[in-house]
């Protein structure tokens, strides 16, 4: 992605801030500058500049409206004589913003909104809307979101991180809590992808097992390490669907469990001692620090000791991996940050009108996040595959030697 230098004149700032919709006007100014920069890159020349590198000529502007949560923006889209210029600004905003808007509109149409929701929706969509408007926007969104969530997963994904979050959905005449199951993966080339999204009545073995079966049917393969919390249904489904893969119990969740069981006066000490175990560089060092933890807190935080004893093996499952992979795979924090972004959007809607609305809004958000992830590699996987080749080859060689003997 190109870097753009965006500027605001000193005289323009007070004028912007004096307006009621100051933030929207500020975003409008910035996006119009981005459009100008994109046109400059497209033509290879500044306005009125004559040079051999120029690849076309301008032909005025056309105004386009972009509805966002900071108001309705009017963008001046530059034109070329041959019509060759196009911008991705509207496409990038369209999926998540429209999904957000449709969710709010559905609440109003179905009579489950508040005055605040109505006010927000009308600010985004205009003074009024109808069921036909909702239907039209919903239809436009469903296809691209479904295409993203059902796409083929042809690459190998050595690492996957899975987690669930609960959201409120209206079902018939009641509001129930439902689980949004989300999986992300790191491909063999080191790039991250969001693999899938599903909604279920609970976070059980059955729902996770069905979710993983769906991912495998779409092509998911090559999983070496799966990272998650210690939910029994999730753990059981991972063991069944990814035979031979290493399960890494999220150390962040282990820490939360240790602190939940620790007396208040010992929590700071428990945190520091547990962190030393998490950051151990090898098995011997981890065991030594574990023994020190148990000896130190067996009297003052006995329940934390019991918790750590049950988690010790699983929370250090990735310890044999090269250090740079351990650092990012020891927790499901990558997935937790994704959940936080979903929560930020979900807070405004509060209760989804139906399952489809939840999948549509969250799916659109995940699609945009996936586009951002694909812009930069997360890992250099060279060292991992070198490590894997040596650790897998040795046991095989031993077996051949024993058969020969």
């Amino acid at each position: 992605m190109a870097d753009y230098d965006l500027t605001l004149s000193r005289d323009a700032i007070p004028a912007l801030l004096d307006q009621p919709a100051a933030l929207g006007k500020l975003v409008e100014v910035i996006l119009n500058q981005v459009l100008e920069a994109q046109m400059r890159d497209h033509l290879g020349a500044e306005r009125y500049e004559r040079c051999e590198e120029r690849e076309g000529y301008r032909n005025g502007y056309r105004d386009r409206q972009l509805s966002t949560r900071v108001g309705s923006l009017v963008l001046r889209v530059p034109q070329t004589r041959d019509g060759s210029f196009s911008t991705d600004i509207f496409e990038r905003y369209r999926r998540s913003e429209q999904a957000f808007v449709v969710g709010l509109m559905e609440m109003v149409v179905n009579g489950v909104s508040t005055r605040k929701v109505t006010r927000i929706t009308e600010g985004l969509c205009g003074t009024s809307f109808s069921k036909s408007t909702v239907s039209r926007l919903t239809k436009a969104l469903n296809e691209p979101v479904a295409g993203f969530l059902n796409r083929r997963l042809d690459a190998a994904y050595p690492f996957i991180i899975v987690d669930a979050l609960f959201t409120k959905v209206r079902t018939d005449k009641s509001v129930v809590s439902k689980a949004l199951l989300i999986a992300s993966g790191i491909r063999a080339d080191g790039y991250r992808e969001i693999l899938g999204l599903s909604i279920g009545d609970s976070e059980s073995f059955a729902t996770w097992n069905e979710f993983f079966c769906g991912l495998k049917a779409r092509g998911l393969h090559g999983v070496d390490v799966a990272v998650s919390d210690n939910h029994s249904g999730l753990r059981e489904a991972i063991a069944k669907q990814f035979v031979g893969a290493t399960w890494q119990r999220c150390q962040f969740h282990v820490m939360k469990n240790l602190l939940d069981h620790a007396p208040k006066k010992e929590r700071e000490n428990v945190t520091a001692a547990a962190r030393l175990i998490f950051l151990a560089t090898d098995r011997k060092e981890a065991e030594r620090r574990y023994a020190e933890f148990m000896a130190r807190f067996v009297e003052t935080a006995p329940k934390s000791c019991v918790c750590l004893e049950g988690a010790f093996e699983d929370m250090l499952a990735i310890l044999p991996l090269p250090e740079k992979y351990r650092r990012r795979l020891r927790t499901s924090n990558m997935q937790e940050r994704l959940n936080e972004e979903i929560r930020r959007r979900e807070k405004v809607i509060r209760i989804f009108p139906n399952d489809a609305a939840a999948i549509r809004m969250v799916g659109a958000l995940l699609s945009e996040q996936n586009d951002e992830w694909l812009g930069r590699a997360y890992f250099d996987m060279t060292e991992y595959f070198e490590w894997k080749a040596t650790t897998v080859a040795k046991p095989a060689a031993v077996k051949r030697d024993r058969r020969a003997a």
Side-chain angles (χ1 to χ4, degrees):
M1 181 181 292
D3 293 328
Y4 300 127
D5 294 324
L6 306 175
T7 60
L8 279 176
S9 69
R10 184 172 298 177
D11 295 336
I13 293 175
L16 285 172
L17 297 181
D18 284 342
Q19 300 183 52
L23 182 58
K25 288 297 180 184
L26 185 60
V27 173
E28 185 177 278
V29 169
I30 291 172
L31 289 182
N32 278 321
Q33 288 191 41
V34 171
L35 286 169
E36 285 294 330
Q38 289 181 339
M39 173 60 88
R40 184 170 62 248
D41 291 347
H42 176 73
L43 295 179
E46 299 280 357
R47 289 172 61 87
Y48 309 115
E49 180 183 0
R50 303 297 178 182
C51 62
E52 294 182 359
E53 292 77 17
R54 175 180 282 277
E55 296 183 0
Y57 295 91
R58 291 172 176 261
N59 189 32
Y61 298 85
R62 64 186 175 94
D63 290 346
R64 283 194 61 181
Q65 199 168 47
L66 178 65
S67 294
T68 75
R69 278 167 289 136
V70 295
S72 183
L73 312 182
V74 177
L75 301 187
R76 302 189 70 222
V77 183
Q79 304 294 294
T80 57
R81 292 180 185 177
D82 59 3
S84 60
F85 175 71
S86 63
T87 177
D88 62 353
I89 284 180
F90 295 94
E91 183 61 32
R92 288 177 64 82
Y93 269 90
R94 185 174 298 134
R95 286 171 296 187
S96 65
E97 291 295 338
Q98 282 192 1
F100 181 83
V101 169
V102 168
L104 294 173
M105 291 170 71
E106 284 186 292
M107 292 178 68
V108 178
V109 169
N110 286 283
V112 296
S113 65
T114 63
R115 274 186 292 178
K116 178 183 177 183
V117 171
T118 304
R119 191 163 59 249
I120 293 171
T121 309
E122 289 181 350
L124 289 168
C125 308
T127 56
S128 64
F129 51 84
S130 63
K131 288 188 177 182
S132 62
T133 303
V134 175
S135 177
R136 177 174 53 80
L137 288 177
T138 299
K139 185 176 180 181
L141 276 168
N142 283 345
E143 186 175 343
V145 170
F148 168 70
L149 295 178
N150 295 315
R151 74 194 189 283
R152 286 289 303 172
L153 303 172
D154 293 323
Y157 295 85
F159 310 135
I160 64 170
I161 301 99
V162 292
D163 198 11
L165 70 157
F166 284 82
T167 191
K168 299 293 185 182
V169 178
R170 185 169 294 274
T171 303
D172 296 326
K173 295 183 179 180
S174 62
V175 175
V176 299
S177 181
K178 292 204 171 186
L180 290 170
L181 314 181
I182 305 172
S184 300
I186 301 170
R187 300 187 318 213
D189 61 3
Y191 284 83
R192 290 181 291 174
E193 276 193 60
I194 293 166
L195 304 179
L197 165 70
S198 182
I199 191 167
D201 293 330
S202 64
E203 192 182 358
S204 64
F205 164 75
T207 54
W208 277 114
N209 190 61
E210 182 180 1
F211 178 54
F212 290 145
C213 285
L215 294 180
K216 292 172 71 175
R218 289 167 47 209
L220 177 63
H221 68 282
V223 176
D224 295 332
V225 177
V227 185
S228 76
D229 61 24
N230 192 40
H231 189 282
S232 58
L234 172 54
R235 192 176 67 246
E236 185 182 354
I238 289 173
K240 179 177 180 180
Q241 294 297 332
F242 305 109
V243 177
T246 297
W247 174 59
Q248 167 66 26
R249 182 172 174 179
C250 173
Q251 292 180 2
F252 174 77
H253 286 89
V254 172
M255 181 70 84
K256 285 179 63 178
N257 292 339
L258 292 176
L259 296 181
D260 286 343
H261 290 92
K264 188 174 182 180
K265 64 180 181 180
E266 285 285 20
R267 286 177 183 171
E268 186 175 340
N269 295 327
V270 166
T271 299
R275 187 171 287 121
L276 290 176
I277 303 173
F278 296 156
L279 299 178
T281 56
D282 56 45
R283 177 79 185 196
K284 184 177 180 180
E285 182 64 17
E287 289 177 347
R288 184 183 68 78
R289 294 177 181 181
Y290 167 75
E292 290 177 352
F293 182 102
M294 301 297 279
R296 180 177 178 181
F297 298 108
V298 67
E299 297 292 338
T300 58
K303 292 183 179 179
S304 293
C305 291
V306 172
C307 179
L308 182 62
E309 183 179 13
F312 181 72
E313 293 295 334
D314 295 326
M315 75 182 193
L316 296 177
I318 46 85
L319 195 55
L321 271 65
E323 192 273 336
K324 70 178 181 182
Y325 305 103
R326 294 199 306 265
R327 189 170 64 252
R328 285 181 167 176
L329 295 175
R330 65 187 186 88
T331 70
S332 59
N333 285 354
M334 182 181 87
Q335 203 72 10
E336 292 290 342
R337 285 191 289 271
L338 193 61
N339 291 349
E340 288 175 7
E341 181 61 21
I342 294 170
R343 287 288 188 214
R344 187 174 68 84
R345 302 290 186 93
E346 178 210 39
K347 262 195 248 182
V348 179
I349 291 181
R350 297 179 59 192
I351 301 171
F352 286 102
N354 48 55
D355 285 1
I359 290 291
R360 182 165 51 248
M361 195 202 82
V362 177
L365 176 62
L366 295 179
S367 175
E368 290 201 344
Q369 182 61 66
N370 191 71
D371 290 345
E372 290 188 23
W373 280 0
L374 291 175
R376 184 178 64 178
Y378 192 65
F379 279 138
D380 179 349
M381 298 292 286
T382 305
E383 186 179 348
Y384 173 75
F385 285 112
E386 290 175 351
W387 169 86
K388 182 179 177 181
T390 57
T391 55
V392 171
K394 286 180 179 178
V398 171
K399 289 180 182 179
R400 284 196 296 271
D401 292 343
R402 287 176 179 170
R403 285 198 299 269

